[in-house]
Amino acid sequence: MKIPNGLAALVLFTLFLPGCRYINWAKEQLPQGRKLTYDSNIVRRNIRSLHIYDQFDTLAHFDALWLSDEVRCMYAQVYAQKHGLCDERYEEFERRQLEENNYYISFYLLAAISDDGKTALNDKNSVWSIYLEIDGCVYQPVEIKLIDELAPEYQLFFGIRLTNFKKSYLVKFDARDIDGEFLIDSTTKYIDLWFKKVDRQAGMRWYLSPEGWVLPVRKKDCDILSYDLRT
């Protein structure tokens, strides 16, 4: 049966007009505030996630955010917006953030470990150890610090990855070698963050441009760094 155009228009008008009025009324009565934005693509490029299984059993889950220059700049921007910093204070805060990278290569890490990993990652008897590999050279962390609560800005960056089942850590490596040269330079193509236990290891990889910016994740590399040491 063909519905007359006028009747169809009346039905649509009846269905949608009250909804529009309700939405407009709700916004007027419940102020939403102005949503602040940031470049989520920058954060996404610097985050890596890793699931490690033994058959169908989960051994561990790790999410790591590399505090690269671009992530520290984004943190400074969101922090300045939140606290209403003037341009001068914002630039000074950003400068102090970037200064950290002259001394350390840092990661914020979220970790959920199965029951066999009862010790924290910063415990000397931790089931899992962590190290960084750059250009075939291995570097041990100078600090693994358990964080009671991440700053709100970094909570925003991690988004749904941040859950009550995961512990938060700050992991630091020296940014320079014993000769004072930076470990990451224009020739560095990628860096690997490794997680290892006595019978298994897995890693995360960040590819770098010649300018030092982190490149988007290469899907074909998602699983190549995870394997059982017994095989």
PDB file of all heavy atoms in Angstrom, residues 46-67:
ATOM      1  N   ASN A  46      52.010   6.516  19.947  1.00  0.00           N
ATOM      2  CA  ASN A  46      53.018   6.261  20.975  1.00  0.00           C
ATOM      3  C   ASN A  46      52.614   5.184  21.975  1.00  0.00           C
ATOM      4  O   ASN A  46      53.387   4.859  22.867  1.00  0.00           O
ATOM      5  CB  ASN A  46      53.342   7.555  21.720  1.00  0.00           C
ATOM      6  CG  ASN A  46      54.224   8.486  20.916  1.00  0.00           C
ATOM      7  OD1 ASN A  46      55.449   8.421  20.984  1.00  0.00           O
ATOM      8  ND2 ASN A  46      53.609   9.368  20.121  1.00  0.00           N
ATOM      9  N   ILE A  47      51.409   4.637  21.861  1.00  0.00           N
ATOM     10  CA  ILE A  47      50.932   3.594  22.773  1.00  0.00           C
ATOM     11  C   ILE A  47      51.053   2.229  22.099  1.00  0.00           C
ATOM     12  O   ILE A  47      50.743   2.075  20.917  1.00  0.00           O
ATOM     13  CB  ILE A  47      49.473   3.845  23.194  1.00  0.00           C
ATOM     14  CG1 ILE A  47      49.374   4.992  24.201  1.00  0.00           C
ATOM     15  CG2 ILE A  47      48.867   2.595  23.824  1.00  0.00           C
ATOM     16  CD1 ILE A  47      47.975   5.234  24.723  1.00  0.00           C
ATOM     17  N   ARG A  48      51.509   1.253  22.870  1.00  0.00           N
ATOM     18  CA  ARG A  48      51.532  -0.128  22.421  1.00  0.00           C
ATOM     19  C   ARG A  48      50.863  -1.000  23.477  1.00  0.00           C
ATOM     20  O   ARG A  48      51.011  -0.758  24.679  1.00  0.00           O
ATOM     21  CB  ARG A  48      52.970  -0.623  22.203  1.00  0.00           C
ATOM     22  CG  ARG A  48      53.729   0.135  21.125  1.00  0.00           C
ATOM     23  CD  ARG A  48      53.183  -0.148  19.738  1.00  0.00           C
ATOM     24  NE  ARG A  48      53.959   0.533  18.713  1.00  0.00           N
ATOM     25  CZ  ARG A  48      53.701   1.782  18.306  1.00  0.00           C
ATOM     26  NH1 ARG A  48      52.695   2.460  18.844  1.00  0.00           N
ATOM     27  NH2 ARG A  48      54.435   2.328  17.352  1.00  0.00           N
ATOM     28  N   SER A  49      50.149  -2.026  23.022  1.00  0.00           N
ATOM     29  CA  SER A  49      49.492  -2.971  23.923  1.00  0.00           C
ATOM     30  C   SER A  49      49.934  -4.380  23.581  1.00  0.00           C
ATOM     31  O   SER A  49      50.157  -4.699  22.405  1.00  0.00           O
ATOM     32  CB  SER A  49      47.968  -2.864  23.816  1.00  0.00           C
ATOM     33  OG  SER A  49      47.516  -1.596  24.275  1.00  0.00           O
ATOM     34  N   LEU A  50      50.042  -5.214  24.603  1.00  0.00           N
ATOM     35  CA  LEU A  50      50.580  -6.557  24.417  1.00  0.00           C
ATOM     36  C   LEU A  50      49.835  -7.542  25.311  1.00  0.00           C
ATOM     37  O   LEU A  50      49.764  -7.358  26.527  1.00  0.00           O
ATOM     38  CB  LEU A  50      52.073  -6.556  24.770  1.00  0.00           C
ATOM     39  CG  LEU A  50      52.852  -7.854  24.576  1.00  0.00           C
ATOM     40  CD1 LEU A  50      52.912  -8.223  23.101  1.00  0.00           C
ATOM     41  CD2 LEU A  50      54.264  -7.688  25.132  1.00  0.00           C
ATOM     42  N   HIS A  51      49.248  -8.573  24.689  1.00  0.00           N
ATOM     43  CA  HIS A  51      48.635  -9.691  25.412  1.00  0.00           C
ATOM     44  C   HIS A  51      49.564 -10.893  25.291  1.00  0.00           C
ATOM     45  O   HIS A  51      50.028 -11.208  24.194  1.00  0.00           O
ATOM     46  CB  HIS A  51      47.273 -10.057  24.817  1.00  0.00           C
ATOM     47  CG  HIS A  51      46.247  -8.976  24.931  1.00  0.00           C
ATOM     48  ND1 HIS A  51      45.389  -8.888  26.004  1.00  0.00           N
ATOM     49  CD2 HIS A  51      45.936  -7.944  24.113  1.00  0.00           C
ATOM     50  CE1 HIS A  51      44.584  -7.848  25.832  1.00  0.00           C
ATOM     51  NE2 HIS A  51      44.898  -7.261  24.699  1.00  0.00           N
ATOM     52  N   ILE A  52      49.813 -11.578  26.395  1.00  0.00           N
ATOM     53  CA  ILE A  52      50.679 -12.749  26.388  1.00  0.00           C
ATOM     54  C   ILE A  52      49.896 -13.923  26.966  1.00  0.00           C
ATOM     55  O   ILE A  52      49.367 -13.829  28.080  1.00  0.00           O
ATOM     56  CB  ILE A  52      51.962 -12.511  27.208  1.00  0.00           C
ATOM     57  CG1 ILE A  52      52.672 -11.246  26.710  1.00  0.00           C
ATOM     58  CG2 ILE A  52      52.898 -13.716  27.090  1.00  0.00           C
ATOM     59  CD1 ILE A  52      53.827 -10.829  27.582  1.00  0.00           C
ATOM     60  N   TYR A  53      49.821 -15.014  26.199  1.00  0.00           N
ATOM     61  CA  TYR A  53      49.020 -16.164  26.589  1.00  0.00           C
ATOM     62  C   TYR A  53      49.887 -17.418  26.707  1.00  0.00           C
ATOM     63  O   TYR A  53      50.933 -17.545  26.066  1.00  0.00           O
ATOM     64  CB  TYR A  53      47.930 -16.445  25.554  1.00  0.00           C
ATOM     65  CG  TYR A  53      46.941 -15.319  25.364  1.00  0.00           C
ATOM     66  CD1 TYR A  53      47.119 -14.374  24.357  1.00  0.00           C
ATOM     67  CD2 TYR A  53      45.821 -15.210  26.180  1.00  0.00           C
ATOM     68  CE1 TYR A  53      46.211 -13.348  24.173  1.00  0.00           C
ATOM     69  CE2 TYR A  53      44.901 -14.190  26.003  1.00  0.00           C
ATOM     70  CZ  TYR A  53      45.102 -13.252  24.997  1.00  0.00           C
ATOM     71  OH  TYR A  53      44.202 -12.248  24.813  1.00  0.00           O
ATOM     72  N   ASP A  54      49.435 -18.351  27.516  1.00  0.00           N
ATOM     73  CA  ASP A  54      49.932 -19.712  27.538  1.00  0.00           C
ATOM     74  C   ASP A  54      48.754 -20.592  27.126  1.00  0.00           C
ATOM     75  O   ASP A  54      47.853 -20.839  27.929  1.00  0.00           O
ATOM     76  CB  ASP A  54      50.434 -20.089  28.938  1.00  0.00           C
ATOM     77  CG  ASP A  54      51.004 -21.494  28.992  1.00  0.00           C
ATOM     78  OD1 ASP A  54      51.090 -22.136  27.919  1.00  0.00           O
ATOM     79  OD2 ASP A  54      51.356 -21.958  30.089  1.00  0.00           O
ATOM     80  N   GLN A  55      48.737 -20.998  25.858  1.00  0.00           N
ATOM     81  CA  GLN A  55      47.575 -21.640  25.259  1.00  0.00           C
ATOM     82  C   GLN A  55      46.392 -20.656  25.340  1.00  0.00           C
ATOM     83  O   GLN A  55      46.438 -19.608  24.749  1.00  0.00           O
ATOM     84  CB  GLN A  55      47.275 -22.976  25.952  1.00  0.00           C
ATOM     85  CG  GLN A  55      48.415 -23.993  25.859  1.00  0.00           C
ATOM     86  CD  GLN A  55      48.758 -24.387  24.451  1.00  0.00           C
ATOM     87  OE1 GLN A  55      47.884 -24.493  23.602  1.00  0.00           O
ATOM     88  NE2 GLN A  55      50.045 -24.599  24.200  1.00  0.00           N
ATOM     89  N   PHE A  56      45.376 -20.991  26.158  1.00  0.00           N
ATOM     90  CA  PHE A  56      44.222 -20.106  26.285  1.00  0.00           C
ATOM     91  C   PHE A  56      44.249 -19.295  27.585  1.00  0.00           C
ATOM     92  O   PHE A  56      43.332 -18.510  27.850  1.00  0.00           O
ATOM     93  CB  PHE A  56      42.916 -20.911  26.209  1.00  0.00           C
ATOM     94  CG  PHE A  56      42.706 -21.585  24.883  1.00  0.00           C
ATOM     95  CD1 PHE A  56      42.912 -22.949  24.748  1.00  0.00           C
ATOM     96  CD2 PHE A  56      42.326 -20.860  23.767  1.00  0.00           C
ATOM     97  CE1 PHE A  56      42.733 -23.584  23.537  1.00  0.00           C
ATOM     98  CE2 PHE A  56      42.133 -21.476  22.547  1.00  0.00           C
ATOM     99  CZ  PHE A  56      42.343 -22.839  22.415  1.00  0.00           C
ATOM    100  N   ASP A  57      45.278 -19.504  28.403  1.00  0.00           N
ATOM    101  CA  ASP A  57      45.375 -18.798  29.671  1.00  0.00           C
ATOM    102  C   ASP A  57      46.165 -17.501  29.493  1.00  0.00           C
ATOM    103  O   ASP A  57      47.234 -17.489  28.863  1.00  0.00           O
ATOM    104  CB  ASP A  57      46.077 -19.667  30.721  1.00  0.00           C
ATOM    105  CG  ASP A  57      45.277 -20.916  31.048  1.00  0.00           C
ATOM    106  OD1 ASP A  57      44.031 -20.835  30.979  1.00  0.00           O
ATOM    107  OD2 ASP A  57      45.897 -21.955  31.351  1.00  0.00           O
ATOM    108  N   THR A  58      45.662 -16.427  30.064  1.00  0.00           N
ATOM    109  CA  THR A  58      46.349 -15.140  29.995  1.00  0.00           C
ATOM    110  C   THR A  58      47.457 -15.084  31.032  1.00  0.00           C
ATOM    111  O   THR A  58      47.226 -15.305  32.219  1.00  0.00           O
ATOM    112  CB  THR A  58      45.366 -13.986  30.242  1.00  0.00           C
ATOM    113  OG1 THR A  58      44.349 -14.005  29.237  1.00  0.00           O
ATOM    114  CG2 THR A  58      46.086 -12.645  30.182  1.00  0.00           C
ATOM    115  N   LEU A  59      48.670 -14.808  30.585  1.00  0.00           N
ATOM    116  CA  LEU A  59      49.800 -14.644  31.494  1.00  0.00           C
ATOM    117  C   LEU A  59      49.954 -13.192  31.930  1.00  0.00           C
ATOM    118  O   LEU A  59      50.223 -12.911  33.092  1.00  0.00           O
ATOM    119  CB  LEU A  59      51.090 -15.118  30.820  1.00  0.00           C
ATOM    120  CG  LEU A  59      51.183 -16.609  30.489  1.00  0.00           C
ATOM    121  CD1 LEU A  59      52.511 -16.896  29.791  1.00  0.00           C
ATOM    122  CD2 LEU A  59      51.050 -17.452  31.737  1.00  0.00           C
ATOM    123  N   ALA A  60      49.809 -12.287  30.983  1.00  0.00           N
ATOM    124  CA  ALA A  60      50.005 -10.876  31.313  1.00  0.00           C
ATOM    125  C   ALA A  60      49.425 -10.002  30.211  1.00  0.00           C
ATOM    126  O   ALA A  60      49.269 -10.435  29.057  1.00  0.00           O
ATOM    127  CB  ALA A  60      51.490 -10.570  31.499  1.00  0.00           C
ATOM    128  N   HIS A  61      49.117  -8.790  30.601  1.00  0.00           N
ATOM    129  CA  HIS A  61      48.694  -7.765  29.641  1.00  0.00           C
ATOM    130  C   HIS A  61      49.424  -6.477  29.990  1.00  0.00           C
ATOM    131  O   HIS A  61      49.432  -6.042  31.140  1.00  0.00           O
ATOM    132  CB  HIS A  61      47.183  -7.543  29.687  1.00  0.00           C
ATOM    133  CG  HIS A  61      46.718  -6.489  28.740  1.00  0.00           C
ATOM    134  ND1 HIS A  61      46.427  -6.755  27.424  1.00  0.00           N
ATOM    135  CD2 HIS A  61      46.538  -5.154  28.900  1.00  0.00           C
ATOM    136  CE1 HIS A  61      46.079  -5.631  26.822  1.00  0.00           C
ATOM    137  NE2 HIS A  61      46.137  -4.643  27.697  1.00  0.00           N
ATOM    138  N   PHE A  62      50.053  -5.879  28.969  1.00  0.00           N
ATOM    139  CA  PHE A  62      50.812  -4.650  29.178  1.00  0.00           C
ATOM    140  C   PHE A  62      50.354  -3.582  28.182  1.00  0.00           C
ATOM    141  O   PHE A  62      50.127  -3.875  27.003  1.00  0.00           O
ATOM    142  CB  PHE A  62      52.315  -4.889  28.983  1.00  0.00           C
ATOM    143  CG  PHE A  62      52.910  -5.908  29.912  1.00  0.00           C
ATOM    144  CD1 PHE A  62      53.272  -7.167  29.446  1.00  0.00           C
ATOM    145  CD2 PHE A  62      53.122  -5.619  31.251  1.00  0.00           C
ATOM    146  CE1 PHE A  62      53.826  -8.111  30.289  1.00  0.00           C
ATOM    147  CE2 PHE A  62      53.671  -6.563  32.114  1.00  0.00           C
ATOM    148  CZ  PHE A  62      54.026  -7.808  31.635  1.00  0.00           C
ATOM    149  N   ASP A  63      50.246  -2.353  28.669  1.00  0.00           N
ATOM    150  CA  ASP A  63      50.032  -1.173  27.827  1.00  0.00           C
ATOM    151  C   ASP A  63      51.128  -0.176  28.171  1.00  0.00           C
ATOM    152  O   ASP A  63      51.304   0.174  29.345  1.00  0.00           O
ATOM    153  CB  ASP A  63      48.666  -0.524  28.090  1.00  0.00           C
ATOM    154  CG  ASP A  63      47.511  -1.473  27.841  1.00  0.00           C
ATOM    155  OD1 ASP A  63      47.232  -1.770  26.674  1.00  0.00           O
ATOM    156  OD2 ASP A  63      46.880  -1.909  28.834  1.00  0.00           O
ATOM    157  N   ALA A  64      51.862   0.268  27.163  1.00  0.00           N
ATOM    158  CA  ALA A  64      52.974   1.193  27.393  1.00  0.00           C
ATOM    159  C   ALA A  64      52.802   2.449  26.556  1.00  0.00           C
ATOM    160  O   ALA A  64      52.518   2.381  25.354  1.00  0.00           O
ATOM    161  CB  ALA A  64      54.303   0.529  27.066  1.00  0.00           C
ATOM    162  N   LEU A  65      52.966   3.586  27.190  1.00  0.00           N
ATOM    163  CA  LEU A  65      52.961   4.882  26.521  1.00  0.00           C
ATOM    164  C   LEU A  65      54.366   5.458  26.607  1.00  0.00           C
ATOM    165  O   LEU A  65      54.856   5.755  27.701  1.00  0.00           O
ATOM    166  CB  LEU A  65      51.956   5.831  27.177  1.00  0.00           C
ATOM    167  CG  LEU A  65      51.966   7.280  26.687  1.00  0.00           C
ATOM    168  CD1 LEU A  65      51.618   7.358  25.207  1.00  0.00           C
ATOM    169  CD2 LEU A  65      51.003   8.138  27.501  1.00  0.00           C
ATOM    170  N   TRP A  66      55.017   5.581  25.468  1.00  0.00           N
ATOM    171  CA  TRP A  66      56.342   6.175  25.430  1.00  0.00           C
ATOM    172  C   TRP A  66      56.213   7.685  25.605  1.00  0.00           C
ATOM    173  O   TRP A  66      55.483   8.348  24.871  1.00  0.00           O
ATOM    174  CB  TRP A  66      57.036   5.845  24.108  1.00  0.00           C
ATOM    175  CG  TRP A  66      58.422   6.411  23.990  1.00  0.00           C
ATOM    176  CD1 TRP A  66      59.223   6.874  24.991  1.00  0.00           C
ATOM    177  CD2 TRP A  66      59.170   6.585  22.785  1.00  0.00           C
ATOM    178  NE1 TRP A  66      60.422   7.312  24.496  1.00  0.00           N
ATOM    179  CE2 TRP A  66      60.419   7.150  23.138  1.00  0.00           C
ATOM    180  CE3 TRP A  66      58.908   6.302  21.444  1.00  0.00           C
ATOM    181  CZ2 TRP A  66      61.396   7.452  22.196  1.00  0.00           C
ATOM    182  CZ3 TRP A  66      59.884   6.593  20.499  1.00  0.00           C
ATOM    183  CH2 TRP A  66      61.109   7.168  20.882  1.00  0.00           C
ATOM    184  N   LEU A  67      56.918   8.225  26.590  1.00  0.00           N
ATOM    185  CA  LEU A  67      56.872   9.670  26.835  1.00  0.00           C
ATOM    186  C   LEU A  67      57.882  10.359  25.916  1.00  0.00           C
ATOM    187  O   LEU A  67      58.855  10.972  26.355  1.00  0.00           O
ATOM    188  CB  LEU A  67      57.160   9.962  28.308  1.00  0.00           C
ATOM    189  CG  LEU A  67      56.250   9.253  29.320  1.00  0.00           C
ATOM    190  CD1 LEU A  67      56.556   9.728  30.738  1.00  0.00           C
ATOM    191  CD2 LEU A  67      54.791   9.476  28.982  1.00  0.00           C
TER     192      LEU A  67
END
